[in-house]
Amino acid sequence: MLSKKTKYAIKALMVLGRNYGNEPMQIVKIAQEENIPKKFLEQILLEMRNAGILYSKKGAGGGYSLNKAPEDVFLSQVMRLIDGPIALLPCVSLNFYRSCEECTQEHACGIRDTFVEVRNAMLQILNDTSIAHLINKEKELNLNIE
């Protein structure tokens, strides 16, 4: 499952993506727009700033903005930063590999083999889905409602 922290990170990035090219946004405005607890959002934004996804400016007119275009911020990057491994099993993780404790023959494990396929399919989608893509998808869905 997607953690609440990752979901909030993505929502905040979408707000900042819609604001891309404008003045930095204050945390309180982002929090209000997406109904995210301000203190929790501060931690998330700081983590993304430290990873280079966001830029922050202090003082009057300060706040947060995307450090790169919304087209260049991908869900896989955000999810790994906030939650760590994307793979559902540690033995199929690309960046956080660990062998399973109970496994004796990893190369012949049907469970592992299936979850490698799941990881690959999921990664393909997450690597191809940018913040800009989500913003555009949301616009399309809202047009379909009206």
Side-chain angles (χ1 to χ4, degrees), residues 29-52:
K29 183 161 175 31
I30 300 167
Q32 287 172 344
E33 201 167 313
E34 288 298 331
N35 198 28
I36 302 171
K38 184 178 170 276
K39 285 286 183 195
F40 195 28
L41 182 60
E42 285 174 354
Q43 296 170 355
I44 295 167
L45 295 179
L46 183 62
E47 205 169 324
M48 290 193 292
R49 188 205 67 186
N50 291 340

Short mmCIF file of all heavy atoms in Angstrom, two decimals, residues 29-52:
data_model
loop_
_atom_site.label_atom_id
_atom_site.label_comp_id
_atom_site.label_asym_id
_atom_site.label_seq_id
_atom_site.Cartn_x
_atom_site.Cartn_y
_atom_site.Cartn_z
N LYS A 29 -0.01 27.32 2.52
CA LYS A 29 -0.90 27.33 1.34
C LYS A 29 -1.01 25.92 0.74
O LYS A 29 -2.10 25.48 0.39
CB LYS A 29 -0.41 28.32 0.30
CG LYS A 29 -1.32 28.45 -0.90
CD LYS A 29 -1.06 29.72 -1.65
CE LYS A 29 -1.81 29.89 -2.93
NZ LYS A 29 -3.10 29.33 -3.09
N ILE A 30 0.11 25.23 0.63
CA ILE A 30 0.10 23.86 0.10
C ILE A 30 -0.72 22.96 1.03
O ILE A 30 -1.56 22.18 0.57
CB ILE A 30 1.54 23.31 -0.04
CG1 ILE A 30 2.36 24.18 -0.98
CG2 ILE A 30 1.52 21.86 -0.50
CD1 ILE A 30 3.87 23.90 -0.92
N ALA A 31 -0.49 23.10 2.33
CA ALA A 31 -1.21 22.29 3.32
C ALA A 31 -2.71 22.52 3.24
O ALA A 31 -3.49 21.56 3.27
CB ALA A 31 -0.69 22.61 4.73
N GLN A 32 -3.12 23.78 3.12
CA GLN A 32 -4.55 24.09 3.03
C GLN A 32 -5.16 23.55 1.74
O GLN A 32 -6.25 22.98 1.75
CB GLN A 32 -4.76 25.60 3.10
CG GLN A 32 -4.54 26.18 4.47
CD GLN A 32 -4.57 27.71 4.47
OE1 GLN A 32 -4.45 28.36 3.44
NE2 GLN A 32 -4.70 28.28 5.66
N GLU A 33 -4.44 23.73 0.64
CA GLU A 33 -4.96 23.30 -0.66
C GLU A 33 -5.22 21.81 -0.73
O GLU A 33 -6.18 21.36 -1.35
CB GLU A 33 -3.99 23.73 -1.76
CG GLU A 33 -4.62 23.80 -3.12
CD GLU A 33 -3.75 24.51 -4.14
OE1 GLU A 33 -3.23 25.60 -3.84
OE2 GLU A 33 -3.60 23.96 -5.25
N GLU A 34 -4.37 21.02 -0.08
CA GLU A 34 -4.50 19.57 -0.15
C GLU A 34 -4.93 18.94 1.17
O GLU A 34 -4.93 17.72 1.30
CB GLU A 34 -3.19 18.94 -0.63
CG GLU A 34 -2.92 19.18 -2.10
CD GLU A 34 -3.98 18.57 -3.02
OE1 GLU A 34 -4.61 17.55 -2.66
OE2 GLU A 34 -4.18 19.12 -4.11
N ASN A 35 -5.25 19.75 2.15
CA ASN A 35 -5.70 19.26 3.46
C ASN A 35 -4.68 18.30 4.08
O ASN A 35 -5.00 17.19 4.49
CB ASN A 35 -7.08 18.60 3.33
CG ASN A 35 -7.77 18.48 4.67
OD1 ASN A 35 -7.54 19.29 5.56
ND2 ASN A 35 -8.61 17.47 4.80
N ILE A 36 -3.43 18.77 4.12
CA ILE A 36 -2.32 18.00 4.69
C ILE A 36 -1.90 18.68 5.98
O ILE A 36 -1.74 19.90 6.01
CB ILE A 36 -1.12 17.96 3.71
CG1 ILE A 36 -1.52 17.35 2.37
CG2 ILE A 36 0.05 17.19 4.32
CD1 ILE A 36 -0.46 17.48 1.29
N PRO A 37 -1.71 17.93 7.07
CA PRO A 37 -1.23 18.54 8.32
C PRO A 37 0.10 19.27 8.08
O PRO A 37 1.04 18.70 7.52
CB PRO A 37 -1.06 17.36 9.26
CG PRO A 37 -1.94 16.28 8.71
CD PRO A 37 -1.94 16.49 7.23
N LYS A 38 0.16 20.54 8.49
CA LYS A 38 1.30 21.41 8.21
C LYS A 38 2.62 20.84 8.73
O LYS A 38 3.62 20.83 8.01
CB LYS A 38 1.06 22.80 8.80
CG LYS A 38 2.13 23.80 8.47
CD LYS A 38 1.79 25.18 9.06
CE LYS A 38 2.95 26.12 8.96
NZ LYS A 38 3.90 26.00 10.04
N LYS A 39 2.66 20.37 9.96
CA LYS A 39 3.90 19.84 10.54
C LYS A 39 4.40 18.62 9.77
O LYS A 39 5.60 18.46 9.54
CB LYS A 39 3.70 19.47 12.01
CG LYS A 39 3.65 20.66 12.93
CD LYS A 39 5.04 21.23 13.09
CE LYS A 39 5.02 22.39 14.07
NZ LYS A 39 6.24 23.18 13.99
N PHE A 40 3.47 17.77 9.38
CA PHE A 40 3.82 16.58 8.61
C PHE A 40 4.35 16.99 7.24
O PHE A 40 5.35 16.46 6.75
CB PHE A 40 2.59 15.68 8.48
CG PHE A 40 2.86 14.27 8.04
CD1 PHE A 40 4.07 13.63 8.30
CD2 PHE A 40 1.89 13.55 7.37
CE1 PHE A 40 4.31 12.33 7.90
CE2 PHE A 40 2.12 12.24 6.96
CZ PHE A 40 3.32 11.63 7.23
N LEU A 41 3.69 17.96 6.61
CA LEU A 41 4.11 18.45 5.31
C LEU A 41 5.50 19.07 5.37
O LEU A 41 6.31 18.88 4.45
CB LEU A 41 3.09 19.45 4.76
CG LEU A 41 3.38 20.01 3.38
CD1 LEU A 41 3.44 18.89 2.33
CD2 LEU A 41 2.33 21.05 2.99
N GLU A 42 5.81 19.78 6.44
CA GLU A 42 7.15 20.38 6.59
C GLU A 42 8.23 19.32 6.49
O GLU A 42 9.24 19.50 5.81
CB GLU A 42 7.26 21.11 7.94
CG GLU A 42 6.53 22.42 7.99
CD GLU A 42 6.53 23.06 9.39
OE1 GLU A 42 7.01 22.41 10.36
OE2 GLU A 42 6.06 24.18 9.51
N GLN A 43 8.04 18.19 7.18
CA GLN A 43 9.01 17.09 7.14
C GLN A 43 9.16 16.52 5.73
O GLN A 43 10.27 16.26 5.26
CB GLN A 43 8.57 15.97 8.09
CG GLN A 43 8.54 16.34 9.54
CD GLN A 43 7.86 15.26 10.37
OE1 GLN A 43 7.34 14.27 9.85
NE2 GLN A 43 7.86 15.44 11.69
N ILE A 44 8.02 16.34 5.06
CA ILE A 44 8.02 15.77 3.71
C ILE A 44 8.74 16.70 2.73
O ILE A 44 9.59 16.26 1.95
CB ILE A 44 6.58 15.49 3.24
CG1 ILE A 44 5.92 14.42 4.12
CG2 ILE A 44 6.54 15.10 1.78
CD1 ILE A 44 4.41 14.29 3.96
N LEU A 45 8.42 17.98 2.79
CA LEU A 45 9.03 18.95 1.87
C LEU A 45 10.53 19.07 2.11
O LEU A 45 11.31 19.18 1.17
CB LEU A 45 8.34 20.31 1.98
CG LEU A 45 6.87 20.36 1.56
CD1 LEU A 45 6.31 21.76 1.75
CD2 LEU A 45 6.66 19.88 0.14
N LEU A 46 10.93 19.03 3.36
CA LEU A 46 12.35 19.10 3.70
C LEU A 46 13.09 17.89 3.13
O LEU A 46 14.18 18.02 2.56
CB LEU A 46 12.53 19.18 5.22
CG LEU A 46 13.96 19.33 5.71
CD1 LEU A 46 14.58 20.63 5.19
CD2 LEU A 46 13.99 19.31 7.24
N GLU A 47 12.49 16.73 3.26
CA GLU A 47 13.09 15.50 2.72
C GLU A 47 13.24 15.61 1.19
O GLU A 47 14.28 15.25 0.64
CB GLU A 47 12.17 14.32 3.07
CG GLU A 47 12.86 13.00 3.12
CD GLU A 47 11.98 11.91 3.73
OE1 GLU A 47 11.19 12.18 4.66
OE2 GLU A 47 12.09 10.77 3.24
N MET A 48 12.23 16.14 0.52
CA MET A 48 12.30 16.28 -0.94
C MET A 48 13.27 17.39 -1.34
O MET A 48 13.93 17.28 -2.37
CB MET A 48 10.91 16.51 -1.52
CG MET A 48 10.04 15.26 -1.43
SD MET A 48 8.53 15.33 -2.42
CE MET A 48 7.58 16.58 -1.58
N ARG A 49 13.39 18.40 -0.52
CA ARG A 49 14.38 19.46 -0.80
C ARG A 49 15.80 18.89 -0.67
O ARG A 49 16.66 19.12 -1.51
CB ARG A 49 14.21 20.64 0.15
CG ARG A 49 15.11 21.82 -0.28
CD ARG A 49 15.46 22.74 0.83
NE ARG A 49 16.32 22.01 1.77
CZ ARG A 49 16.72 22.49 2.91
NH1 ARG A 49 16.35 23.68 3.30
NH2 ARG A 49 17.50 21.79 3.70
N ASN A 50 16.03 18.13 0.38
CA ASN A 50 17.35 17.53 0.60
C ASN A 50 17.72 16.56 -0.52
O ASN A 50 18.90 16.35 -0.79
CB ASN A 50 17.41 16.83 1.95
CG ASN A 50 17.38 17.82 3.10
OD1 ASN A 50 17.67 19.00 2.93
ND2 ASN A 50 17.00 17.35 4.28
N ALA A 51 16.73 15.98 -1.19
CA ALA A 51 16.97 15.06 -2.29
C ALA A 51 17.11 15.79 -3.63
O ALA A 51 17.38 15.17 -4.65
CB ALA A 51 15.85 14.04 -2.37
N GLY A 52 16.90 17.11 -3.62
CA GLY A 52 17.06 17.89 -4.84
C GLY A 52 15.82 18.01 -5.70
O GLY A 52 15.87 18.58 -6.79
#
